[in-house]
Amino acid sequence: MNNDLIIEGLTKQFATSNSVAIADVNITVKEGTFTTLLGPSGCGKSTTLNCVAGLEQPTAGSIRVGDFVMTDTARDLILPPEQRHLGMVFQSYALWPHMKVFDNVAFALKLQKRPSDEIKQRVQESLALVGLEELADRYPFQLSGGQQQRVALARAVVSRPKVLLLDEPLSNLDAKIRENARIWLRGLQQQLGITTVYVTHDQSEAFAMSDMIAVMSMGKLQQYAPPEEIYERPANRFVAEFIGVTSFITGILQNVDGKKATLKLASGELLNIRKENKSDYVWKEGEHTAAAIRSERVEVLTEGAERENTVKAQITSRTYLGSKWQYTVETSGGSLRLESTDAIQGDSLFMYLPPDSIILLAG
């Protein structure tokens, strides 16, 4: 039986402010995969997750897992959270402070009036999954932040939910612990084979853990694709700017021929471009436009080097980041940022911009 999580036409408008939090969001999360809702604060990712959880009532749309319909506004069907068979971990973990670890994890099973032997066995299994079986008799205040996070995860999976929902569960951890927690959490998800939807604004988390990433902005889904495609072939300018370090260089589009074109800069320098991405951008001869390129794809050349797609630039700022230098440079097509493991001497340089790495984008 197919148990994909399917979100169709999901819209949420708040009556008090008359603002649209999410607009016509369509996402299919394949069974057993890990999908991240990624975007800046206020983009609608947590509202989308809360609609799936049943904590928010959408204005329009439907949500189902396989044939199990949880929300269908057309039929005025909205199941309460406790009837959705989902597990959820909140940013604050939301553990009961007066309950020991065992009782926190067992809470949902007790509400379901499960036999005591079954509760004991399943709680022990869940705590073993997260490596906390020896801490069952401790209270939350006796645990570290990372341990509390794992208790919240054990509580979320003890009921064997159809889908696991995670709302920025690592944001309260310090940087080093958070990095280790990503690896551990992804391993747990794969071990359980549970369909997972994760919310974060942290690109590193999204790329490290996800099978698919849904990039959101201002309540709209901008792109839904595997991490590599999100990075290499952004759907529009917002995605290109939000993900990684991207620069834009402007010029006049010339010599449009199928999947090839030339961008002429104000200085007369020419950049060859190849249309290898999946952008919806329509190439128009003579149009004044901006092309995107990732900073790490820009190659610094020796003074006077002659090569296709070579552009002269003037360094306007330098930043030392430990493992690399980051530069802002000015060209006749605008400012670019580039990265180099070596310190560049002087204030001027030549750059090589690979034709396959220059992308024309819609929006």
Side-chain angles (χ1 to χ4, degrees):
M1 179 181 174
N2 186 318
N3 282 316
D4 296 347
L5 170 64
I6 300 173
I7 302 170
E8 294 182 320
L10 193 65
T11 299
K12 172 64 178 180
Q13 183 173 353
F14 291 105
T16 53
S17 62
N18 203 33
S19 63
V20 178
I22 48 177
D24 194 27
V25 170
N26 296 275
I27 298 174
T28 296
V29 181
K30 294 294 184 182
E31 182 179 5
T33 63
F34 193 115
T35 285
T36 295
L37 306 181
L38 175 67
S41 298
C43 71
K45 54 188 186 295
S46 289
T47 301
T48 300
L49 194 78
N50 287 335
C51 285
V52 175
L55 301 175
E56 292 278 4
Q57 294 190 4
T59 309
S62 65
I63 304 169
R64 59 189 172 90
V65 176
D67 295 330
F68 177 58
V69 180
M70 298 181 288
T71 297
D72 187 349
T73 58
R75 293 190 286 158
D76 199 25
L77 170 63
I78 300 178
L79 294 181
E82 64 272 17
Q83 294 181 17
R84 295 189 173 221
H85 310 297
L86 306 175
M88 187 161 184
V89 177
F90 298 92
Q91 183 177 358
S92 63
Y93 311 141
L95 300 178
W96 297 106
H98 64 288
M99 292 184 182
K100 293 182 178 181
V101 166
F102 183 95
D103 295 317
N104 263 284
V105 177
F107 186 73
L109 299 178
K110 290 179 178 179
L111 286 180
Q112 297 170 8
K113 302 188 184 301
R114 299 282 184 178
S116 58
D117 289 345
E118 179 185 349
I119 291 175
K120 182 178 180 179
Q121 179 182 347
R122 286 172 63 171
V123 169
Q124 288 175 340
E125 288 174 352
S126 294
L127 288 175
L129 276 174
V130 300
L132 293 179
E133 57 266 46
E134 296 180 358
L135 303 182
D137 289 330
R138 292 193 183 182
Y139 288 96
F141 72 87
Q142 296 174 308
L143 305 177
S144 68
Q147 290 170 333
Q148 290 182 39
Q149 176 232 13
R150 285 189 277 165
V151 172
L153 278 165
R155 182 180 61 185
V157 301
V158 73
S159 297
R160 299 167 187 169
K162 296 177 181 291
V163 178
L164 179 62
L165 307 175
L166 305 168
D167 192 1
E168 303 201 52
L170 308 184
S171 62
N172 292 328
L173 305 179
D174 65 46
K176 191 62 180 177
I177 296 175
R178 187 164 65 243
E179 187 175 334
N180 293 332
R182 293 173 192 165
I183 299 170
W184 173 83
L185 179 56
R186 176 59 163 156
L188 177 65
Q189 183 269 331
Q190 291 176 322
Q191 179 183 349
L192 295 174
I194 188 170
T195 308
T196 300
V197 182
Y198 187 94
V199 163
T200 186
H201 62 273
D202 188 314
Q203 298 175 31
S204 298
E205 284 184 8
F207 277 81
M209 298 191 293
S210 308
D211 296 304
M212 298 286 286
I213 297 176
V215 181
M216 299 184 69
S217 173
M218 299 181 68
K220 295 182 179 180
L221 181 63
Q222 302 295 319
Q223 188 171 5
Y224 184 48
E228 184 177 357
E229 184 174 327
I230 293 284
Y231 192 85
E232 300 291 346
R233 297 185 294 278
N236 55 42
R237 181 160 183 153
F238 172 82
V239 178
E241 289 184 312
F242 183 73
I243 302 295
V245 181
T246 305
S247 297
F248 292 86
I249 189 165
T250 59
I252 304 297
L253 200 60
Q254 298 180 342
N255 306 318
V256 176
D257 181 18
K259 291 189 176 182
K260 296 181 181 180
T262 301
L263 191 69
K264 184 178 180 180
L265 308 186
S267 62
E269 295 166 311
L270 300 177
L271 292 177
N272 293 319
I273 304 171
R274 297 177 191 144
K275 192 177 184 181
E276 301 297 335
N277 63 88
K278 293 185 178 180
S279 170
D280 295 330
Y281 183 84
V282 178
W283 297 34
K284 297 177 182 178
E285 185 81 29
E287 182 179 20
H288 190 273
T289 188
I293 186 165
R294 298 290 186 191
S295 295
E296 70 274 13
R297 302 292 164 78
V298 178
E299 182 180 339
V300 178
L301 303 177
T302 57
E303 184 74 22
E306 294 183 2
R307 190 175 180 182
E308 174 197 29
N309 281 31
T310 298
V311 175
K312 188 174 182 178
Q314 196 76 14
I315 297 175
T316 57
S317 72
R318 293 175 165 86
T319 304
Y320 180 59
L321 301 177
S323 62
K324 60 190 175 184
W325 285 84
Q326 190 173 84
Y327 299 90
T328 301
V329 301
E330 193 69 30
T331 73
S332 65
S335 296
L336 276 78
R337 287 180 291 177
L338 62 91
E339 298 172 351
S340 175
T341 55
D342 300 319
I344 299 174
Q345 303 301 319
D347 293 329
S348 62
L349 71 152
F350 285 87
M351 304 179 302
Y352 169 63
L353 281 59
D356 292 341
S357 298
I358 303 173
I359 305 173
L360 294 179
L361 297 164

